[in-house]
Amino acid sequence: MNKREFIKAGLLAGAATGLSLKGKAEVSLAAPKKHKLKNWVWINPNLKDTQDELNTRYAGYKAAGISAILFENDSEIHFRTAKANGLEAHRWMWTFNRAELLKIHPEWYSKNRNGESCVDHPPYVDYYRWLCPSRPEVQQYLEQQVTDIINKDYIDGVHLDYVRYCDVILPVNLWSHYNLDQTKELPAYDFCYCEVCQAHFKDQYGIDVTTLQYPDASLSWRLFRYGNITRVVNSLADIAHKKNKVITAAVFPTPEVARRNVRQDWTNWNLDGICPMIYHGFYNEQVSWIGDAVKEGTHFLAGKFPLYAGLYLPNFKNDDEIRQGIQLALKNGAHGISFFGGIDNNNVLSILKEETV
């Protein structure tokens, strides 16, 4: 199962909920603070696309209000054509979830509370192979990955994904699909308890995590893991900034959900922008929750860097819901929208143009 299949499983596990609208959503009479909007779209480039096809597509994106593209793979023709049409071209990078080192460095991979490694006990799906952020070798490896990306002149920046621990708690829509009750943290999905993490935690806090009766309730242990991810992210940001390149990240939808579900404290990262994955259907929430999530994120960021609301298009039932989602995000302080899951739809691009251009 790959990433898109994992997402699809969430949709099949329960129908996305949303508001049924007959027209445009109402917008408050109080005008929101004006931002220079920047809209993003995720793409896995098709290497069979021709130059003419790319020119037509990317010119259309630009006209509709798309500002930047997040490319999952490196294809120079896609990057350069996007830039030639006035778009920024960024490289999407899987960060801690990486399988290419399983045979070379199995010791680099995270272990759960039961002592099981991602090497031979991947949680949930086979491609979930999480590197341990406590290990200096892992940080150095990721630093080299970022360096290799930003050294290419046709790449404007790097976009981090899977920049977290494994989901100790899945979005609620996935629980039935995996036959799990995650109303409490389960040891098999709670990472990382490897020897390096234990030693570093004891050095910092004087606590042996294995002696804790309820490690899931230890605030120090949780803070330690927030700091692990933050340290690596800020190191990667330093590398990008020294090259005058942009660094952004896809993160969980709100600061509270991110910390609780995946030990991700993204409000303390030194980025140029953030794309919270506000996929309302995954959490059995209505479209209106998009506004709530954006409001929470912008509140805790306090202007540190822009927030671009990540919308998953298959979660929306109709065009009116898409319009409402965009309006709610912008009304509550988003600096733009980041689309995932099928932007090549004329209605989506038309709606975006009406709302943002």
Side-chain angles (χ1 to χ4, degrees):
M1 180 181 284
N2 61 29
K3 179 181 180 181
R4 282 176 291 283
E5 289 171 338
F6 189 40
I7 290 175
K8 185 178 180 182
L11 297 177
L12 295 176
T17 56
L19 300 178
S20 177
L21 303 175
K22 293 183 179 179
K24 290 187 177 182
E26 292 185 5
V27 178
S28 170
L29 294 177
K33 184 178 179 180
K34 296 294 183 181
H35 303 297
K36 183 178 180 181
L37 297 182
K38 184 175 182 179
N39 300 309
W40 307 68
V41 60
W42 170 90
I43 287 178
N44 190 6
N46 185 346
L47 302 183
K48 295 181 180 180
D49 288 337
T50 67
Q51 184 72 68
D52 288 343
E53 288 172 335
L54 294 178
N55 274 321
T56 299
R57 182 183 307 141
Y58 295 152
Y61 286 1
K62 179 67 175 179
I66 297 294
S67 311
I69 298 179
L70 306 168
F71 289 102
E72 184 170 356
N73 290 313
D74 188 356
S75 172
E76 185 171 351
I77 186 174
H78 281 78
F79 280 74
R80 292 198 184 279
T81 306
K83 290 169 67 67
N85 282 279
L87 301 169
E88 293 180 19
H90 299 250
R91 178 69 165 88
W92 189 295
M93 170 180 151
W94 288 34
T95 311
F96 289 105
N97 181 18
R98 305 182 75 103
E100 70 268 24
L101 301 169
L102 286 172
K103 293 183 178 180
I104 304 172
H105 289 293
E107 74 279 6
W108 289 8
Y109 285 83
S110 291
K111 293 183 179 180
N112 63 24
R113 204 192 312 168
N114 292 331
E116 299 166 328
S117 172
C118 286
V119 172
D120 43 25
H121 288 83
Y124 306 115
V125 288
D126 187 63
Y127 77 88
Y128 256 30
R129 311 286 184 148
W130 296 90
L131 295 171
C132 172
S134 285
R135 294 177 178 269
E137 312 96 299
V138 167
Q139 180 170 330
Q140 292 164 10
Y141 180 78
L142 296 175
E143 289 171 346
Q144 187 60 54
Q145 296 295 305
V146 168
T147 299
D148 292 344
I149 289 171
I150 63 176
N151 278 342
K152 295 180 179 179
D153 69 298
Y154 55 85
I155 294 180
D156 293 312
V158 62
H159 182 73
L160 307 177
D161 195 6
Y162 294 107
V163 57
R164 57 182 177 85
Y165 285 89
C166 173
D167 322 56
V168 65
I169 300 173
L170 289 172
V172 66
N173 232 16
L174 287 170
W175 292 7
S176 60
H177 181 78
Y178 292 99
N179 194 28
L180 292 171
D181 178 351
Q182 293 191 324
T183 50
K184 63 178 181 180
E185 295 182 7
L186 303 176
Y189 308 103
D190 184 16
F191 292 82
C192 172
Y193 287 75
C194 77
E195 298 78 6
V196 174
C197 282
Q198 291 183 37
H200 286 191
F201 179 64
K202 190 169 185 179
D203 286 344
Q204 291 184 37
Y205 291 92
I207 300 171
D208 183 345
V209 71
T210 64
T211 66
L212 296 175
Q213 183 177 4
Y214 302 109
D216 51 318
S218 170
L219 301 182
S220 297
W221 179 231
R222 189 164 296 205
L223 188 63
F224 169 79
R225 287 178 288 179
Y226 299 162
N228 263 348
I229 302 295
T230 296
R231 182 193 68 254
V232 177
V233 170
N234 288 345
S235 173
L236 302 181
D238 287 344
I239 292 171
H241 291 153
K242 287 177 182 177
K243 287 283 188 176
N244 295 316
K245 296 292 180 80
V246 172
I247 184 166
T248 56
V251 296
F252 269 49
T254 71
E256 187 271 332
V257 172
R259 288 190 292 265
R260 170 168 49 87
N261 286 24
V262 293
R263 320 306 190 204
Q264 186 185 63
D265 187 20
W266 50 261
T267 60
N268 283 311
W269 297 354
N270 298 330
L271 301 180
D272 300 300
I274 206 83
C275 299
M277 297 177 287
I278 309 175
Y279 301 170
H280 60 285
F282 283 38
Y283 299 90
N284 283 338
E285 294 290 343
Q286 295 184 336
V287 177
S288 58
W289 180 69
I290 293 170
D292 297 334
V294 170
K295 186 175 182 180
E296 180 184 332
T298 54
H299 170 74
F300 284 103
L301 281 174
K304 185 175 182 179
F305 48 73
L307 182 151
Y308 307 101
L311 305 185
Y312 185 57
L313 292 171
N315 275 175
F316 296 90
K317 295 178 180 178
N318 52 51
D319 291 352
D320 286 334
E321 285 195 352
I322 294 172
R323 188 185 303 279
Q324 186 198 21
I326 293 172
Q327 289 178 345
L328 286 168
L330 299 180
K331 174 185 173 183
N332 284 280
H335 283 66
I337 308 298
S338 176
F339 289 106
F340 185 88
I343 189 65
D344 289 315
N345 177 309
N346 289 331
N347 291 337
V348 174
L349 293 173
S350 297
I351 293 168
L352 179 68
K353 185 174 183 179
E354 292 172 7
E355 297 298 331
T356 66
V357 176

